[in-house]
Amino acid sequence: MSCWYLYIVENKFGHFYTGISNDIKRRFAEHQSGGSKCAKALKGKGPLRLVYSIEIESHTKALQAEFWVKKQTRQRKSQLIDGSHPAEFEHQLIPPELAI
């Protein structure tokens, strides 16, 4: 079983992009390149910064975590990034052991 990563990238406008990958270095390089494999939401918005990543045990759990993060407000995402996000989430889709 391969491990997956949930990651958050910040663009030059301060906007967050959330994604998952099983090779975070390769995926971030693809985003930075602006080429055909760059996420459409990030094209032309560099420089990019990888501001958050966490290893997750399976693709399914990574998808659930990505879905959960994408529903959060900017403030909650910022708290997740800086480590001050509370460990208790209401109706969370990711398991408590992934809560930071």
Side-chain angles (χ1 to χ4, degrees), residues 16-75:
F16 295 136
Y17 172 84
T18 303
I20 62 169
S21 178
N22 59 357
D23 185 345
I24 196 166
K25 288 181 182 181
R26 173 195 50 81
R27 189 66 181 122
F28 185 64
E30 290 171 350
H31 289 317
Q32 285 183 307
S33 75
S36 63
K37 294 193 176 193
C38 175
K40 191 184 238 183
L42 294 174
K43 284 192 184 222
K45 296 178 182 167
L48 306 174
R49 285 187 327 127
L50 181 64
V51 293
Y52 179 81
S53 68
I54 186 172
E55 187 175 317
I56 299 178
E57 66 190 49
S58 72
H59 184 244
T60 300
K61 288 185 180 185
L63 285 169
Q64 291 172 337
E66 178 186 26
F67 181 76
W68 183 87
V69 169
K70 286 183 173 183
K71 291 188 336 180
Q72 302 308 301
T73 64
R74 176 173 178 77
Q75 180 182 6

